[in-house]
Amino acid sequence: MQTIERRSVIQHILSAAVLAIAALSSPALAQKAERPDVKVGDRWRLEVRLGTGPSAMKLQDLSRVVTSVTAAGIERTDNGLRVVLTPDLNEIESTSYKHSDSRLLSFPLELGKQWHCTDEFLSKFIGKEARMNWSVAVVGYEKVRVPAGEFDAFKLEARGSWISGSHTGEESRTYWYAPAARGVVKSEIQDTSGFTTTELAEFQLQP
């Protein structure tokens, strides 16, 4: 009887060990994305659409090219217009906005990571300041298909609430960061203006 009990205990221990090893070796748990080694000349073309699915209306092609990389940050052009980024690829300033802490990416990325930030930003078009409180989480690691191909990507979800004077609003974003593309390959944004989808159409990275 004791021998049978010992065998049962050993089998339970072995089964638990196998399950633990399997869990640790799963793609979602094994993956971690360090800050990308962005280089001058890296370029991406993205397609921006209003809505989602086959009925989405194309708004524009967005051509991005990295023009400068230093320890302090990154500069690129969006359709020829200058954009300043942090080393983690978060926007600091463009022709449209100036941000204090728009931290939608925070490297290294790994499943389960969460963070919060408060972004004091200026809309240059209307000359108004606002505050956005973001809660961001890495919720998955999966394959995502876009016009540029299929990528292994980290799925992130961001929930934000903003206030500008007496006006308030909310915004939600779901986006996929692919290490192989050194950037976000797909994003879905829902705010007061509607639902916008952006997908990577083509890219060229420097070696």
Side-chain angles (χ1 to χ4, degrees):
M1 187 71 173
Q2 289 180 346
T3 302
I4 294 174
E5 289 177 350
R6 288 196 193 98
R7 287 177 180 173
S8 178
V9 170
I10 292 171
Q11 287 175 346
H12 281 301
I13 292 173
L14 289 175
S15 296
V18 169
L19 288 173
I21 293 171
L24 289 172
S25 62
S26 69
L29 295 179
Q31 291 294 330
K32 178 186 284 190
E34 301 294 343
R35 178 185 293 170
D37 185 17
V38 176
K39 299 181 180 180
V40 173
D42 286 352
R43 60 182 64 234
W44 306 263
R45 184 176 68 81
L46 301 108
E47 297 176 349
V48 184
R49 292 182 171 84
L50 183 63
T52 184
S55 61
M57 179 180 68
K58 186 172 180 179
L59 295 178
Q60 67 169 334
D61 280 334
L62 182 59
S63 177
R64 290 178 167 170
V65 182
V66 175
T67 57
S68 173
V69 178
T70 68
I74 299 164
E75 291 189 16
R76 72 169 188 237
T77 57
D78 284 5
N79 289 348
L81 301 175
R82 178 173 175 264
V83 179
V84 182
L85 309 169
T86 68
D88 274 2
L89 308 182
N90 296 299
E91 188 175 300
I92 299 173
E93 187 171 8
S94 67
T95 57
S96 303
Y97 294 98
K98 186 172 183 179
H99 300 270
S100 68
D101 187 13
S102 181
R103 199 166 1 117
L104 294 175
L105 290 172
S106 178
F107 293 97
L109 295 178
E110 53 190 330
L111 189 64
K113 183 174 181 177
Q114 300 180 38
W115 65 92
H116 305 274
C117 63
T118 297
D119 182 27
E120 307 278 353
F121 67 95
L122 169 68
S123 174
K124 296 182 178 181
F125 284 140
I126 58 177
K128 286 190 175 182
E129 296 181 345
R131 179 189 299 115
M132 175 74 86
N133 292 310
W134 285 111
S135 296
V136 187
V138 183
V139 299
Y141 181 77
E142 60 191 31
K143 292 188 181 296
V144 58
R145 178 166 289 280
V146 294
E150 187 174 76
F151 296 88
D152 292 318
F154 289 87
K155 181 181 180 181
L156 296 94
E157 291 182 350
R159 300 290 179 264
S161 60
W162 58 265
I163 180 169
S164 178
S166 60
H167 300 284
T168 61
E170 296 183 348
E171 181 177 322
S172 63
R173 299 189 181 197
T174 302
Y175 47 106
W176 290 260
Y177 172 85
R182 297 178 191 165
V184 173
V185 296
K186 181 177 181 178
S187 66
E188 298 173 342
I189 301 175
Q190 176 76 56
D191 59 18
T192 53
S193 63
F195 192 96
T196 306
T197 304
T198 302
E199 294 182 325
L200 183 64
E202 58 185 2
F203 68 108
Q204 183 177 4
L205 304 178
Q206 298 301 309

